[in-house]
Amino acid sequence: MDHGSQGCDLMSYFIGMDMGGTWIRAAIGTEEGTILKKVTAPVDPLADNTSILKQLEKLIIEVSGESLQEIKGIGIAAAGKLDIKKSTIVFSPHTSIRSLSLEPLQERLKKPVTLLNDGVAAALAEWRLGAGMGHDNIIYVGIGTGIGGGIVVDGHLLMGKEGNAHEIGHMIIDAGGAIECDCGGRGHWEAYTSGSGLPRLSRLLAQSFVGRTQFLDRSLRGRVEAREVFDYARNGDKFALCVVREATRLNAIAMANLVNLYDPSLISVGGGVAIKNVEFVVSPLQSYVERFSFNSPPKIVPSPLGEDAPLLGAILSTFVIQF
Ligand SMILES: [Zn+2]
């Protein structure tokens, strides 16, 4: 019996990176979407392009270890405005990144680098490996530091002319524009209910709330953290619960707009804020979206891939997407 040739086959490995507003994650994985090792580093909000490229290279080397030679490709999922044809992150509202070309990374490591939006990457992973398996029409919504998304329609992952299809976080949900977004626009979805938006929504609602609660006092005194909204809500603070209800209503309005635009059979909700607070952020959405949407409502579920969705999508992008 000859088992020789099978045992000598080299495995193919792929690197996926997720460049969010708070963390950079890197993972090494296989074609089947199995993550073998993962490393995480904080985003330096003041870093220049040279030091960001150095940090990316360091993370790639760290996560690949002795397998660097076997790496077939590097997929980078990034938040912000991209030009995927030029492999460039043009602008990222939650970091210092401005016109960051990833070509030097490709040249230094001598590996193909694929760039795509982090929400699009997460949608790809959700469709191929997560809740969207077997569906032809899905929407991924990531509620984290900002809000991003990706959309599959009739079995096609939508990209846009420069890779910026579905910057859903900058959808206008408040025509009055009471809150300014980090991008400079007013009334944008992520300025109200993302991790960076919830403190602003709390401050806005605090002005008109009748009654007194601990979280109301905190919100009136200064900037609160998004995490506190949920901590106080869990303890029954009436003002925190009011903020959570309003955030749900706004999330549902935005999602109903997406349902009317794309007619999905499934919406998967991921991102740190949603995944850590499923009972407040995801569970109440179904009935709200049903009330607001014209099209028949999709099933709304928390992402089973959790915070790994953009990472897995970045890995898949190295061999699934043809640009
Ligand atoms: Zn915006």
Side-chain angles (χ1 to χ4, degrees):
M1 283 171 77
D2 177 20
H3 300 289
S5 61
Q6 256 187 327
C8 289
D9 280 350
L10 282 176
M11 282 285 288
S12 294
Y13 297 110
F14 305 88
I15 298 284
M17 304 197 83
D18 174 16
M19 297 175 69
T22 313
W23 301 101
I24 301 181
R25 297 184 174 89
I28 180 166
T30 65
E31 216 161 332
E32 290 77 38
T34 308
I35 288 179
L36 304 170
K37 186 182 169 191
K38 203 163 45 170
V39 292
T40 302
V43 169
D44 173 358
L46 301 171
D48 62 11
N49 285 357
T50 311
S51 41
I52 294 167
L53 285 172
K54 271 194 193 141
Q55 188 184 24
L56 295 179
E57 187 179 338
K58 190 169 160 264
L59 287 169
I60 291 167
I61 291 169
E62 189 184 335
V63 81
S64 14
E66 292 182 354
S67 307
L68 190 59
Q69 291 310 314
E70 275 81 64
I71 300 297
K72 294 280 187 289
I74 299 164
I76 298 187
K81 187 176 173 185
L82 312 177
D83 188 337
I84 53 171
K85 287 178 194 145
K86 292 183 181 154
S87 206
T88 296
I89 305 171
V90 178
F91 166 67
S92 172
H94 303 290
T95 71
S96 57
I97 295 175
R98 302 292 180 270
S99 297
L100 174 67
S101 167
L102 298 171
E103 272 166 16
L105 196 65
Q106 185 158 312
E107 282 157 23
R108 279 183 62 82
L109 294 168
K110 300 190 172 43
K111 307 281 179 194
V113 172
T114 309
L115 173 66
L116 78 170
N117 175 277
D118 57 349
V120 174
L124 173 62
E126 210 61 60
W127 180 36
R128 293 297 178 99
L129 304 168
M133 280 196 294
H135 290 256
D136 288 329
N137 295 278
I138 68 154
I139 297 181
Y140 172 86
V141 176
I143 306 178
T145 311
I147 293 179
I151 294 172
V152 174
V153 174
D154 299 335
H156 299 285
L157 179 68
L158 305 182
M159 298 296 287
K161 68 185 188 310
E162 289 167 345
N164 298 313
H166 313 111
E167 273 295 359
I168 57 175
H170 304 280
M171 175 196 303
I172 296 171
I173 49 148
D174 171 17
I179 300 180
E180 188 178 346
C181 183
D182 283 340
C183 76
R186 300 200 74 92
H188 296 185
W189 180 13
E190 73 170 34
Y192 292 69
T193 68
S194 69
S196 62
L198 281 167
R200 289 174 240 186
L201 181 65
S202 303
R203 201 157 53 235
L204 178 73
L205 296 177
Q207 313 301 324
S208 55
F209 186 79
V210 180
R212 280 203 72 181
T213 80
Q214 270 187 326
F215 184 60
L216 180 72
D217 287 348
R218 293 267 303 121
S219 303
L220 287 170
R221 271 208 309 274
R223 195 182 158 82
V224 293
E225 301 285 327
R227 175 176 45 79
E228 291 177 73
V229 178
F230 299 106
D231 288 347
Y232 277 98
R234 269 187 199 96
N235 288 328
D237 186 288
K238 285 198 166 58
F239 176 60
L241 286 165
C242 157
V243 174
V244 168
R245 261 197 310 277
E246 179 61 4
T248 301
R249 193 182 73 87
L250 294 170
N251 285 338
I253 287 172
M255 287 186 197
N257 289 337
L258 293 172
V259 169
N260 293 343
L261 283 168
Y262 297 104
D263 200 12
S265 51
L266 179 103
I267 296 180
S268 157
V269 188
V273 171
I275 293 298
K276 287 178 191 140
N277 304 286
V278 167
E279 76 275 33
F280 288 122
V281 180
V282 188
S283 305
L285 280 171
Q286 189 78 47
S287 61
Y288 269 94
V289 173
E290 285 182 15
R291 207 184 312 159
F292 292 149
S293 67
F294 172 83
N295 288 344
S296 65
K299 198 170 168 213
I300 302 174
V301 298
S303 166
L305 305 176
E307 293 194 72
D308 284 343
L311 261 186
L312 284 165
I315 289 172
L316 294 179
S317 75
T318 59
F319 51 89
V320 168
I321 296 177
Q322 301 291 321
F323 292 100

